[in-house]
């Protein structure tokens, strides 16, 4: 929901003031492969990925904005069990703000785990084994509850 990465002011204004359905122009995705993983083998994979998103339409960015706004507005409805894994070294997501938002979720079963050494993609981090272990344990526990 909360990120450190944002678009430039002119790009943001163009998205905000373009009528819905008319945002078929492309806006570069301001992301760097180093932001996703601290491990060289995964950074290489990300750099070579032919499906990597390098640009998105103005309409896409507008829908992301609307989705974030909707989720924040509907926070009180999130009563199901929640597991959130946050990367402690995430240059994309704002783990502090996201953690504060998660703390507001009314779910009685809420688990937040911070993987201190990880960057954005937990599965591509040095903490991946811990993440998968924690996920399996949480799913096992949820199945038994």
């Amino acid at each position: 929901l909360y990120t450190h990465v944002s678009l430039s002011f002119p790009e943001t204004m163009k998205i905000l003031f373009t009528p819905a359905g008319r945002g078929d122009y492309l806006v570069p995705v301001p992301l760097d492969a180093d932001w996703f993983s601290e491990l060289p083998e995964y950074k290489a994979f990300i750099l070579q990925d032919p499906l990597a998103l390098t640009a998105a339409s103005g309409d896409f960015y507008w829908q992301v904005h609307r989705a974030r706004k909707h989720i924040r507005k509907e926070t009180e409805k999130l009563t199901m069990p929640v597991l959130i894994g946050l990367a402690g070294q995430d240059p994309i997501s704002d783990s502090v703000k996201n953690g504060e938002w998660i703390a507001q979720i009314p779910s009685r079963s809420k688990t937040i785990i911070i993987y201190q050494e990880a960057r954005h993609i937990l599965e591509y981090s040095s903490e991946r084994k811990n993440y998968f272990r924690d996920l399996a344990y949480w799913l096992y526990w949820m199945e038994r509850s």
Side-chain angles (χ1 to χ4, degrees), residues 33-34 37-48 119:
D34 286 336
S37 177
E38 69 281 8
L39 301 176
E41 64 269 25
Y42 289 110
K43 287 193 275 190
F45 170 77
I46 292 164
L47 285 170
Q48 296 169 11
R119 292 198 189 158

Side-chain angles (χ1 to χ4, degrees), residues 39 42 83 85 113 115 121-140:
L39 301 176
Y42 289 110
L83 168 66
I113 304 171
Y115 298 91
I121 302 177
L122 298 175
E123 297 89 334
Y124 290 4
S125 79
S126 59
E127 301 238 29
R128 67 185 173 277
K129 288 181 183 176
N130 295 333
Y131 168 67
F132 286 124
R133 180 203 61 222
D134 295 340
L135 177 60
Y137 177 77
W138 186 83
L139 290 169
Y140 175 82

Side-chain angles (χ1 to χ4, degrees), residues 23-141:
D24 58 350
Y25 53 88
L26 292 179
V27 178
V29 175
L31 300 175
D32 183 308
D34 286 336
W35 297 353
F36 292 96
S37 177
E38 69 281 8
L39 301 176
E41 64 269 25
Y42 289 110
K43 287 193 275 190
F45 170 77
I46 292 164
L47 285 170
Q48 296 169 11
D49 185 357
L51 299 176
L53 188 65
T54 58
S57 71
D59 281 334
F60 171 83
Y61 281 106
W62 175 247
Q63 293 304 323
V64 168
H65 167 74
R66 287 186 63 215
R68 288 176 174 171
K69 190 174 175 181
H70 177 76
I71 291 168
R72 285 191 292 262
K73 181 181 169 192
E74 302 294 333
T75 297
E76 74 278 354
K77 294 181 181 176
L78 296 172
T79 58
M80 72 290 293
V82 175
L83 168 66
I84 302 291
L86 298 173
Q89 305 297 317
D90 196 333
I92 299 171
S93 295
D94 187 329
S95 294
V96 173
K97 280 188 179 178
N98 286 321
E100 290 169 354
W101 174 76
I102 293 161
Q104 297 174 19
I105 294 173
S107 172
R108 285 186 261 153
S109 177
K110 187 171 26 181
T111 304
I112 303 170
I113 304 171
I114 300 173
Y115 298 91
Q116 291 298 335
E117 301 305 314
R119 292 198 189 158
H120 187 69
I121 302 177
L122 298 175
E123 297 89 334
Y124 290 4
S125 79
S126 59
E127 301 238 29
R128 67 185 173 277
K129 288 181 183 176
N130 295 333
Y131 168 67
F132 286 124
R133 180 203 61 222
D134 295 340
L135 177 60
Y137 177 77
W138 186 83
L139 290 169
Y140 175 82
W141 182 256

